Amino acid sequence: MIEQPYVYRHAELAEPDWRRLPGWAAVTTQEWASAQWQRSHCVKNIRQLRAVLGDGVDEAFYADLARDQAVRATMSMLVPPQMINTMVPQLAPADPGFTEALYADPVRRYMIPVFSDRRTDWPSHPHASRDSLHEAEMWVVEGLTHRYPTKVLAEVLPTCPQYCGHCTRMDLVGNPTPIVDKHKFTLARDDRLGAMIAYLKANPGVRDVVVSGGDVANLPWPRLEAFVADLLDVDSIRDIRLATKALMGLPQYWLTDEVRAGMERLAATARQRDVSIAIHTHVNSAQSVTPLVAKASKAMLETGIRDVRNQGVLLRGVNSSADQLLDLCFALLDDAKIMPYYFYMCDMIPNAEHWRLGLGEAQQLQHQIMGYLPGFATPRMLCDVPYVGKRWVHQASRYDIERGISYWTKNYRTAVEADDEHALDREYEYYDPIYLLPESGQEWWHAKSADLVAADRASVRAEPVPAPA
Ligand code: SF4
């Protein structure tokens, strides 16, 4: 009998042994379980990475990383021990082949990008930009994006316990890098959060708030609890989603007594008021789903919140095959009780072309994963189209595969189009990576790119696009 394209096997979750890493050989189970220990041992630079991995890694890797940090990285380095430990889980740095395995590792590929990962022909798309989704343009108060009619995004803080190389909010989130100065909020935090609540009280058409950042795990718990309690006091709010990659990157935080007790209080109030609170996390690879992550997810569900859902990002070399996506979805669903929900296409930020998939590839992945997972847990592949919003990847109205341009329409006005009578008739463009295009399409972009590069990269220094070979 011919095998199915994907063969499901339940894989037991396993916590990789951190003691295989020389820098953490003496770390106890109690230390590892401590959120404070995890935060204070995050890897923030090459010196610290070397101290953890020891001498087993080739010098060329560190040089590759240093070059990336100097000329390409849009995010600074910040990786919790929990995430480092899931890289190359089967090998110790002294084992033969560790450096090659580290280069190939899916978690390393997006958390610790190196120069040789990236495209040299088209490191950025000519239309790439900081804040590629134009969220700041749609701020109704600083940090509150009102893009959809009934829902808002509240960016409550600009930091995370971990920084992902492909972060779509590279404009705002994290520390500056040699090529990117970060946007700074101008209002004090409590003034901003207060203004957000006031806006929501004055706009009862909004029923759904995504509380994000950054990552809510970096807001001191009492402040986060107070903000969510204020949201629960707004009569029109029915859904509250807390965005935290730290459920995976720093599950120890979500397992602390303070956070569990606080979430129980919020969940009880939400139930009384008929509001749903959910956690939305961001897991991109099956190997990130460990017993500690499952424990944190289940602890949150036990507080009485409605759900824990995953919004991953499609990244080449990380989860760009149907097998990788299905392995991840089953790991989330079977043992961590995390609902596979969305996979976003990677946004058009600078220096992301090596990660981004073309629309056709995302459509193909959607097709390939259908029918294996329960319908309620089959994630949608999404394209977040600038000035439009989230669209299922099959919703493009037209697709020029020669030039890699897809065209999209919308059915609501964003805050910036309140008076634009043509907003719903217009087509909005999204662009595939140019190196994937047929030769004729690449030539078209080479001819067009000089003007666009000058216009679109004003705030990000990048190497010029080379002439065609
Ligand atoms: S956790 Fe989210 S906001 Fe923070 S760096 Fe990663 S993608 Fe960006």
Side-chain angles (χ1 to χ4, degrees):
M1 198 161 83
I2 302 171
E3 254 195 1
Q4 299 285 6
Y6 177 81
V7 178
Y8 167 76
R9 287 184 195 88
H10 177 243
E12 290 292 326
L13 301 185
E15 205 72 45
D17 184 0
W18 58 88
R19 295 177 191 89
R20 77 191 187 288
L21 304 175
W24 294 329
V27 173
T28 65
T29 304
Q30 287 75 14
E31 286 172 316
W32 193 262
S34 155
Q36 201 183 350
W37 186 91
Q38 291 278 332
R39 283 193 196 264
S40 61
H41 289 81
C42 282
V43 170
K44 302 184 207 62
N45 54 48
I46 294 174
R47 180 180 56 76
Q48 292 174 343
L49 183 65
R50 197 192 290 271
V52 171
L53 299 182
D55 299 330
V57 178
D58 289 354
E59 278 307 309
F61 175 85
Y62 293 119
D64 207 358
L65 177 55
R67 187 176 180 196
D68 197 76
Q69 293 185 343
V71 300
R72 287 284 190 265
T74 55
M75 297 298 289
S76 58
M77 190 180 198
L78 184 65
V79 195
Q82 174 74 22
M83 288 197 80
I84 297 265
N85 191 38
T86 61
M87 298 176 195
V88 197
Q90 308 302 340
L91 293 178
D95 291 340
F98 183 86
T99 300
E100 293 73 18
L102 187 60
Y103 265 111
D105 187 87
V107 179
R108 195 286 304 160
R109 285 181 64 85
Y110 80 94
M111 291 304 295
I112 308 181
V114 294
F115 185 87
S116 64
D117 291 335
R118 308 212 194 226
R119 301 294 306 182
T120 50
D121 49 359
W122 295 93
S124 299
H125 193 282
H127 281 296
S129 64
R130 305 171 55 133
D131 190 13
S132 70
L133 302 179
H134 307 280
E135 289 176 331
E137 282 175 51
M138 298 175 206
W139 282 351
V140 284
V141 299
E142 196 177 48
L144 189 71
T145 301
H146 195 167
R147 177 159 60 151
Y148 303 98
T150 60
K151 47 189 182 174
V152 293
L153 165 75
E155 294 164 309
V156 293
L157 80 172
T159 67
C160 308
Q162 64 284 307
Y163 290 134
C164 317
H166 65 278
C167 180
T168 197
R169 300 211 176 102
M170 47 71 68
D171 185 43
L172 175 75
V173 168
N175 302 312
T177 74
I179 67 159
V180 182
D181 290 327
K182 302 286 171 162
H183 180 88
K184 296 266 188 301
F185 287 132
T186 56
L187 296 178
R189 185 192 68 195
D190 287 352
D191 292 344
R192 272 191 312 106
L193 301 195
M196 290 177 186
I197 297 294
Y199 178 85
L200 294 170
K201 285 183 175 162
N203 288 274
V206 178
R207 62 169 299 289
D208 178 0
V209 182
V210 177
V211 184
S212 184
D215 185 321
V216 297
N218 263 19
L219 199 60
W221 177 263
R223 188 64 191 91
L224 179 62
E225 184 173 345
F227 183 70
V228 176
D230 286 346
L231 291 176
L232 288 167
D233 270 343
V234 180
D235 286 341
S236 52
I237 303 301
R238 318 296 339 147
D239 269 296
I240 298 171
R241 313 185 236 168
L242 306 179
T244 175
K245 187 184 180 90
L247 189 78
M248 173 274 282
L250 192 68
Q252 294 85 351
Y253 170 76
W254 290 99
L255 285 164
T256 58
D257 291 343
E258 179 187 33
V259 172
R260 291 168 78 154
M263 282 296 279
E264 265 172 30
R265 288 189 291 272
L266 290 173
T269 308
R271 267 199 310 279
Q272 279 166 13
R273 301 191 185 171
D274 225 1
V275 177
S276 297
I277 295 181
I279 285 180
H280 280 209
T281 193
H282 169 191
V283 189
N284 292 332
S285 173
Q287 71 200 52
S288 298
V289 187
T290 72
L292 265 170
V293 174
K295 190 174 168 188
S297 168
K298 287 188 234 181
M300 287 300 102
L301 290 170
E302 282 162 15
T303 66
I305 62 169
R306 163 85 184 254
D307 211 350
V308 179
R309 308 184 184 113
N310 185 52
Q311 303 185 176
V313 177
L314 291 175
L315 298 165
R316 193 177 304 283
V318 176
N319 54 23
S320 47
S321 75
D323 283 8
Q324 287 170 316
L325 288 174
L326 287 167
D327 285 350
L328 167 56
C329 291
F330 282 116
L332 292 167
L333 190 62
D334 285 355
D335 296 300
K337 307 302 169 209
I338 298 175
M339 187 70 73
Y341 174 48
Y342 281 163
F343 282 106
Y344 289 97
M345 295 181 70
C346 178
D347 292 320
M348 290 189 291
I349 55 159
N351 297 338
E353 292 310 271
H354 68 295
W355 280 311
R356 293 204 309 125
L357 304 188
L359 178 70
E361 293 175 292
Q363 291 174 333
Q364 178 68 7
L365 285 170
Q366 181 79 77
H367 172 76
Q368 288 174 318
I369 68 164
M370 297 304 290
Y372 288 93
L373 291 147
F376 61 81
T378 301
R380 289 174 189 157
M381 309 291 159
L382 292 182
C383 183
D384 211 337
V385 182
Y387 291 119
V388 173
K390 289 179 266 300
R391 305 276 107 174
W392 303 351
V393 291
H394 285 87
Q395 281 188 284
S397 57
R398 290 188 292 137
Y399 186 16
D400 177 345
I401 54 175
E402 185 187 9
R403 294 176 182 176
I405 306 175
S406 47
Y407 300 87
W408 308 77
T409 56
K410 60 198 280 190
N411 54 334
Y412 45 76
R413 287 183 175 77
T414 61
V416 293
E417 298 143 344
D419 301 320
D420 179 352
E421 61 184 75
H422 297 297
L424 309 193
D425 310 326
R426 194 173 293 128
E427 283 187 315
Y428 300 80
E429 296 182 359
Y430 187 83
Y431 307 99
D432 286 348
I434 293 168
Y435 76 93
L436 295 176
L437 305 180
E439 209 169 305
S440 56
Q442 295 197 31
E443 280 167 11
W444 185 83
W445 277 104
H446 274 294
K448 191 178 167 59
S449 65
D451 299 344
L452 291 170
V453 169
D456 284 349
R457 295 204 205 153
S459 53
V460 175
R461 288 198 302 277
E463 291 172 19
V465 175

PDB file of all heavy atoms in Angstrom, residues 200-226:
ATOM      1  N   LEU A 200     -11.473  52.997  24.607  1.00  0.00           N
ATOM      2  CA  LEU A 200     -12.382  51.852  24.485  1.00  0.00           C
ATOM      3  C   LEU A 200     -13.744  52.161  25.122  1.00  0.00           C
ATOM      4  O   LEU A 200     -14.784  51.752  24.601  1.00  0.00           O
ATOM      5  CB  LEU A 200     -11.747  50.612  25.116  1.00  0.00           C
ATOM      6  CG  LEU A 200     -10.502  50.124  24.354  1.00  0.00           C
ATOM      7  CD1 LEU A 200      -9.770  49.045  25.138  1.00  0.00           C
ATOM      8  CD2 LEU A 200     -10.877  49.609  22.967  1.00  0.00           C
ATOM      9  N   LYS A 201     -13.720  52.892  26.222  1.00  0.00           N
ATOM     10  CA  LYS A 201     -15.005  53.264  26.842  1.00  0.00           C
ATOM     11  C   LYS A 201     -15.805  54.180  25.926  1.00  0.00           C
ATOM     12  O   LYS A 201     -17.034  54.124  25.895  1.00  0.00           O
ATOM     13  CB  LYS A 201     -14.757  53.958  28.189  1.00  0.00           C
ATOM     14  CG  LYS A 201     -14.359  52.983  29.282  1.00  0.00           C
ATOM     15  CD  LYS A 201     -14.180  53.685  30.614  1.00  0.00           C
ATOM     16  CE  LYS A 201     -13.912  52.655  31.722  1.00  0.00           C
ATOM     17  NZ  LYS A 201     -13.326  53.260  32.900  1.00  0.00           N
ATOM     18  N   ALA A 202     -15.088  54.992  25.161  1.00  0.00           N
ATOM     19  CA  ALA A 202     -15.771  55.952  24.285  1.00  0.00           C
ATOM     20  C   ALA A 202     -16.161  55.340  22.939  1.00  0.00           C
ATOM     21  O   ALA A 202     -16.842  55.982  22.138  1.00  0.00           O
ATOM     22  CB  ALA A 202     -14.862  57.163  24.062  1.00  0.00           C
ATOM     23  N   ASN A 203     -15.705  54.108  22.683  1.00  0.00           N
ATOM     24  CA  ASN A 203     -15.967  53.479  21.377  1.00  0.00           C
ATOM     25  C   ASN A 203     -16.555  52.087  21.572  1.00  0.00           C
ATOM     26  O   ASN A 203     -15.865  51.069  21.406  1.00  0.00           O
ATOM     27  CB  ASN A 203     -14.665  53.400  20.560  1.00  0.00           C
ATOM     28  CG  ASN A 203     -14.240  54.767  20.063  1.00  0.00           C
ATOM     29  OD1 ASN A 203     -14.674  55.219  19.012  1.00  0.00           O
ATOM     30  ND2 ASN A 203     -13.418  55.448  20.853  1.00  0.00           N
ATOM     31  N   PRO A 204     -17.829  52.008  21.886  1.00  0.00           N
ATOM     32  CA  PRO A 204     -18.435  50.714  22.215  1.00  0.00           C
ATOM     33  C   PRO A 204     -18.550  49.762  21.026  1.00  0.00           C
ATOM     34  O   PRO A 204     -18.925  48.600  21.206  1.00  0.00           O
ATOM     35  CB  PRO A 204     -19.818  51.103  22.760  1.00  0.00           C
ATOM     36  CG  PRO A 204     -20.078  52.478  22.253  1.00  0.00           C
ATOM     37  CD  PRO A 204     -18.757  53.134  22.085  1.00  0.00           C
ATOM     38  N   GLY A 205     -18.193  50.206  19.828  1.00  0.00           N
ATOM     39  CA  GLY A 205     -18.175  49.291  18.685  1.00  0.00           C
ATOM     40  C   GLY A 205     -17.026  48.301  18.744  1.00  0.00           C
ATOM     41  O   GLY A 205     -17.005  47.314  18.005  1.00  0.00           O
ATOM     42  N   VAL A 206     -16.068  48.541  19.627  1.00  0.00           N
ATOM     43  CA  VAL A 206     -14.937  47.609  19.771  1.00  0.00           C
ATOM     44  C   VAL A 206     -15.294  46.566  20.823  1.00  0.00           C
ATOM     45  O   VAL A 206     -15.637  46.913  21.952  1.00  0.00           O
ATOM     46  CB  VAL A 206     -13.651  48.362  20.187  1.00  0.00           C
ATOM     47  CG1 VAL A 206     -12.506  47.374  20.382  1.00  0.00           C
ATOM     48  CG2 VAL A 206     -13.288  49.409  19.142  1.00  0.00           C
ATOM     49  N   ARG A 207     -15.204  45.288  20.452  1.00  0.00           N
ATOM     50  CA  ARG A 207     -15.576  44.213  21.384  1.00  0.00           C
ATOM     51  C   ARG A 207     -14.403  43.281  21.717  1.00  0.00           C
ATOM     52  O   ARG A 207     -14.527  42.394  22.538  1.00  0.00           O
ATOM     53  CB  ARG A 207     -16.732  43.382  20.805  1.00  0.00           C
ATOM     54  CG  ARG A 207     -16.377  42.677  19.499  1.00  0.00           C
ATOM     55  CD  ARG A 207     -17.392  41.660  19.036  1.00  0.00           C
ATOM     56  NE  ARG A 207     -17.606  40.563  19.951  1.00  0.00           N
ATOM     57  CZ  ARG A 207     -16.725  39.596  20.185  1.00  0.00           C
ATOM     58  NH1 ARG A 207     -15.539  39.597  19.611  1.00  0.00           N
ATOM     59  NH2 ARG A 207     -17.024  38.620  21.018  1.00  0.00           N
ATOM     60  N   ASP A 208     -13.255  43.485  21.056  1.00  0.00           N
ATOM     61  CA  ASP A 208     -12.175  42.494  21.099  1.00  0.00           C
ATOM     62  C   ASP A 208     -10.841  43.223  21.205  1.00  0.00           C
ATOM     63  O   ASP A 208     -10.546  44.091  20.373  1.00  0.00           O
ATOM     64  CB  ASP A 208     -12.274  41.693  19.787  1.00  0.00           C
ATOM     65  CG  ASP A 208     -11.204  40.639  19.614  1.00  0.00           C
ATOM     66  OD1 ASP A 208     -10.357  40.482  20.497  1.00  0.00           O
ATOM     67  OD2 ASP A 208     -11.228  39.971  18.556  1.00  0.00           O
ATOM     68  N   VAL A 209     -10.050  42.885  22.216  1.00  0.00           N
ATOM     69  CA  VAL A 209      -8.768  43.574  22.416  1.00  0.00           C
ATOM     70  C   VAL A 209      -7.645  42.545  22.461  1.00  0.00           C
ATOM     71  O   VAL A 209      -7.667  41.618  23.280  1.00  0.00           O
ATOM     72  CB  VAL A 209      -8.763  44.380  23.742  1.00  0.00           C
ATOM     73  CG1 VAL A 209      -7.440  45.132  23.907  1.00  0.00           C
ATOM     74  CG2 VAL A 209      -9.931  45.348  23.781  1.00  0.00           C
ATOM     75  N   VAL A 210      -6.684  42.707  21.582  1.00  0.00           N
ATOM     76  CA  VAL A 210      -5.454  41.915  21.657  1.00  0.00           C
ATOM     77  C   VAL A 210      -4.468  42.717  22.484  1.00  0.00           C
ATOM     78  O   VAL A 210      -4.101  43.836  22.113  1.00  0.00           O
ATOM     79  CB  VAL A 210      -4.877  41.643  20.249  1.00  0.00           C
ATOM     80  CG1 VAL A 210      -3.559  40.884  20.361  1.00  0.00           C
ATOM     81  CG2 VAL A 210      -5.875  40.863  19.403  1.00  0.00           C
ATOM     82  N   VAL A 211      -4.070  42.160  23.622  1.00  0.00           N
ATOM     83  CA  VAL A 211      -3.128  42.847  24.509  1.00  0.00           C
ATOM     84  C   VAL A 211      -1.750  42.295  24.184  1.00  0.00           C
ATOM     85  O   VAL A 211      -1.446  41.131  24.429  1.00  0.00           O
ATOM     86  CB  VAL A 211      -3.477  42.601  25.990  1.00  0.00           C
ATOM     87  CG1 VAL A 211      -2.547  43.406  26.892  1.00  0.00           C
ATOM     88  CG2 VAL A 211      -4.931  42.953  26.265  1.00  0.00           C
ATOM     89  N   SER A 212      -0.931  43.152  23.575  1.00  0.00           N
ATOM     90  CA  SER A 212       0.324  42.635  23.039  1.00  0.00           C
ATOM     91  C   SER A 212       1.440  43.606  23.362  1.00  0.00           C
ATOM     92  O   SER A 212       1.402  44.345  24.328  1.00  0.00           O
ATOM     93  CB  SER A 212       0.145  42.432  21.519  1.00  0.00           C
ATOM     94  OG  SER A 212       1.292  41.862  20.959  1.00  0.00           O
ATOM     95  N   GLY A 213       2.453  43.582  22.523  1.00  0.00           N
ATOM     96  CA  GLY A 213       3.590  44.472  22.736  1.00  0.00           C
ATOM     97  C   GLY A 213       4.466  44.410  21.512  1.00  0.00           C
ATOM     98  O   GLY A 213       3.971  44.556  20.397  1.00  0.00           O
ATOM     99  N   GLY A 214       5.703  43.950  21.730  1.00  0.00           N
ATOM    100  CA  GLY A 214       6.219  43.254  22.884  1.00  0.00           C
ATOM    101  C   GLY A 214       5.402  42.023  23.323  1.00  0.00           C
ATOM    102  O   GLY A 214       4.592  41.493  22.600  1.00  0.00           O
ATOM    103  N   ASP A 215       5.701  41.645  24.520  1.00  0.00           N
ATOM    104  CA  ASP A 215       5.169  40.405  25.097  1.00  0.00           C
ATOM    105  C   ASP A 215       4.644  40.770  26.480  1.00  0.00           C
ATOM    106  O   ASP A 215       5.383  41.369  27.282  1.00  0.00           O
ATOM    107  CB  ASP A 215       6.318  39.383  25.168  1.00  0.00           C
ATOM    108  CG  ASP A 215       5.889  38.010  25.633  1.00  0.00           C
ATOM    109  OD1 ASP A 215       5.042  37.918  26.540  1.00  0.00           O
ATOM    110  OD2 ASP A 215       6.427  37.015  25.107  1.00  0.00           O
ATOM    111  N   VAL A 216       3.399  40.408  26.758  1.00  0.00           N
ATOM    112  CA  VAL A 216       2.819  40.822  28.044  1.00  0.00           C
ATOM    113  C   VAL A 216       3.580  40.244  29.235  1.00  0.00           C
ATOM    114  O   VAL A 216       3.453  40.740  30.355  1.00  0.00           O
ATOM    115  CB  VAL A 216       1.315  40.461  28.147  1.00  0.00           C
ATOM    116  CG1 VAL A 216       0.514  41.202  27.082  1.00  0.00           C
ATOM    117  CG2 VAL A 216       1.093  38.959  28.083  1.00  0.00           C
ATOM    118  N   ALA A 217       4.392  39.209  29.010  1.00  0.00           N
ATOM    119  CA  ALA A 217       5.160  38.634  30.123  1.00  0.00           C
ATOM    120  C   ALA A 217       6.221  39.597  30.648  1.00  0.00           C
ATOM    121  O   ALA A 217       6.814  39.346  31.689  1.00  0.00           O
ATOM    122  CB  ALA A 217       5.820  37.319  29.693  1.00  0.00           C
ATOM    123  N   ASN A 218       6.469  40.689  29.930  1.00  0.00           N
ATOM    124  CA  ASN A 218       7.443  41.668  30.424  1.00  0.00           C
ATOM    125  C   ASN A 218       6.809  42.834  31.171  1.00  0.00           C
ATOM    126  O   ASN A 218       7.517  43.681  31.673  1.00  0.00           O
ATOM    127  CB  ASN A 218       8.301  42.228  29.268  1.00  0.00           C
ATOM    128  CG  ASN A 218       9.628  41.504  29.173  1.00  0.00           C
ATOM    129  OD1 ASN A 218       9.768  40.402  29.698  1.00  0.00           O
ATOM    130  ND2 ASN A 218      10.596  42.093  28.497  1.00  0.00           N
ATOM    131  N   LEU A 219       5.492  42.850  31.205  1.00  0.00           N
ATOM    132  CA  LEU A 219       4.828  43.876  32.018  1.00  0.00           C
ATOM    133  C   LEU A 219       4.740  43.302  33.440  1.00  0.00           C
ATOM    134  O   LEU A 219       4.319  42.161  33.603  1.00  0.00           O
ATOM    135  CB  LEU A 219       3.423  44.133  31.458  1.00  0.00           C
ATOM    136  CG  LEU A 219       2.740  45.448  31.848  1.00  0.00           C
ATOM    137  CD1 LEU A 219       3.557  46.654  31.378  1.00  0.00           C
ATOM    138  CD2 LEU A 219       1.342  45.503  31.224  1.00  0.00           C
ATOM    139  N   PRO A 220       5.155  44.074  34.459  1.00  0.00           N
ATOM    140  CA  PRO A 220       5.040  43.515  35.814  1.00  0.00           C
ATOM    141  C   PRO A 220       3.617  43.000  36.032  1.00  0.00           C
ATOM    142  O   PRO A 220       2.642  43.663  35.653  1.00  0.00           O
ATOM    143  CB  PRO A 220       5.347  44.725  36.708  1.00  0.00           C
ATOM    144  CG  PRO A 220       6.168  45.636  35.847  1.00  0.00           C
ATOM    145  CD  PRO A 220       5.666  45.444  34.437  1.00  0.00           C
ATOM    146  N   TRP A 221       3.499  41.824  36.632  1.00  0.00           N
ATOM    147  CA  TRP A 221       2.189  41.189  36.720  1.00  0.00           C
ATOM    148  C   TRP A 221       1.107  42.099  37.299  1.00  0.00           C
ATOM    149  O   TRP A 221       0.004  42.193  36.742  1.00  0.00           O
ATOM    150  CB  TRP A 221       2.235  39.851  37.477  1.00  0.00           C
ATOM    151  CG  TRP A 221       0.839  39.340  37.570  1.00  0.00           C
ATOM    152  CD1 TRP A 221      -0.018  39.464  38.616  1.00  0.00           C
ATOM    153  CD2 TRP A 221       0.077  38.769  36.497  1.00  0.00           C
ATOM    154  NE1 TRP A 221      -1.265  38.977  38.278  1.00  0.00           N
ATOM    155  CE2 TRP A 221      -1.229  38.543  36.984  1.00  0.00           C
ATOM    156  CE3 TRP A 221       0.375  38.421  35.185  1.00  0.00           C
ATOM    157  CZ2 TRP A 221      -2.239  37.988  36.205  1.00  0.00           C
ATOM    158  CZ3 TRP A 221      -0.633  37.864  34.397  1.00  0.00           C
ATOM    159  CH2 TRP A 221      -1.918  37.652  34.912  1.00  0.00           C
ATOM    160  N   PRO A 222       1.375  42.812  38.423  1.00  0.00           N
ATOM    161  CA  PRO A 222       0.286  43.647  38.968  1.00  0.00           C
ATOM    162  C   PRO A 222      -0.221  44.679  37.952  1.00  0.00           C
ATOM    163  O   PRO A 222      -1.408  44.969  37.908  1.00  0.00           O
ATOM    164  CB  PRO A 222       0.937  44.337  40.175  1.00  0.00           C
ATOM    165  CG  PRO A 222       2.069  43.434  40.552  1.00  0.00           C
ATOM    166  CD  PRO A 222       2.576  42.857  39.263  1.00  0.00           C
ATOM    167  N   ARG A 223       0.681  45.202  37.105  1.00  0.00           N
ATOM    168  CA  ARG A 223       0.238  46.205  36.123  1.00  0.00           C
ATOM    169  C   ARG A 223      -0.589  45.544  35.021  1.00  0.00           C
ATOM    170  O   ARG A 223      -1.582  46.099  34.541  1.00  0.00           O
ATOM    171  CB  ARG A 223       1.461  46.930  35.513  1.00  0.00           C
ATOM    172  CG  ARG A 223       1.061  48.109  34.648  1.00  0.00           C
ATOM    173  CD  ARG A 223       0.380  49.179  35.502  1.00  0.00           C
ATOM    174  NE  ARG A 223      -0.271  50.242  34.758  1.00  0.00           N
ATOM    175  CZ  ARG A 223      -1.555  50.246  34.348  1.00  0.00           C
ATOM    176  NH1 ARG A 223      -2.346  49.202  34.596  1.00  0.00           N
ATOM    177  NH2 ARG A 223      -2.058  51.271  33.705  1.00  0.00           N
ATOM    178  N   LEU A 224      -0.156  44.344  34.592  1.00  0.00           N
ATOM    179  CA  LEU A 224      -0.932  43.639  33.561  1.00  0.00           C
ATOM    180  C   LEU A 224      -2.305  43.258  34.103  1.00  0.00           C
ATOM    181  O   LEU A 224      -3.332  43.442  33.435  1.00  0.00           O
ATOM    182  CB  LEU A 224      -0.179  42.382  33.086  1.00  0.00           C
ATOM    183  CG  LEU A 224      -0.911  41.566  32.020  1.00  0.00           C
ATOM    184  CD1 LEU A 224      -1.130  42.375  30.741  1.00  0.00           C
ATOM    185  CD2 LEU A 224      -0.147  40.272  31.693  1.00  0.00           C
ATOM    186  N   GLU A 225      -2.324  42.757  35.332  1.00  0.00           N
ATOM    187  CA  GLU A 225      -3.617  42.357  35.908  1.00  0.00           C
ATOM    188  C   GLU A 225      -4.550  43.566  36.029  1.00  0.00           C
ATOM    189  O   GLU A 225      -5.751  43.476  35.707  1.00  0.00           O
ATOM    190  CB  GLU A 225      -3.428  41.687  37.274  1.00  0.00           C
ATOM    191  CG  GLU A 225      -4.736  41.175  37.836  1.00  0.00           C
ATOM    192  CD  GLU A 225      -4.585  40.357  39.109  1.00  0.00           C
ATOM    193  OE1 GLU A 225      -3.467  39.931  39.435  1.00  0.00           O
ATOM    194  OE2 GLU A 225      -5.623  40.142  39.775  1.00  0.00           O
ATOM    195  N   ALA A 226      -3.989  44.705  36.426  1.00  0.00           N
ATOM    196  CA  ALA A 226      -4.826  45.906  36.564  1.00  0.00           C
ATOM    197  C   ALA A 226      -5.363  46.338  35.196  1.00  0.00           C
ATOM    198  O   ALA A 226      -6.531  46.745  35.080  1.00  0.00           O
ATOM    199  CB  ALA A 226      -4.013  47.030  37.202  1.00  0.00           C
TER     200      ALA A 226
END
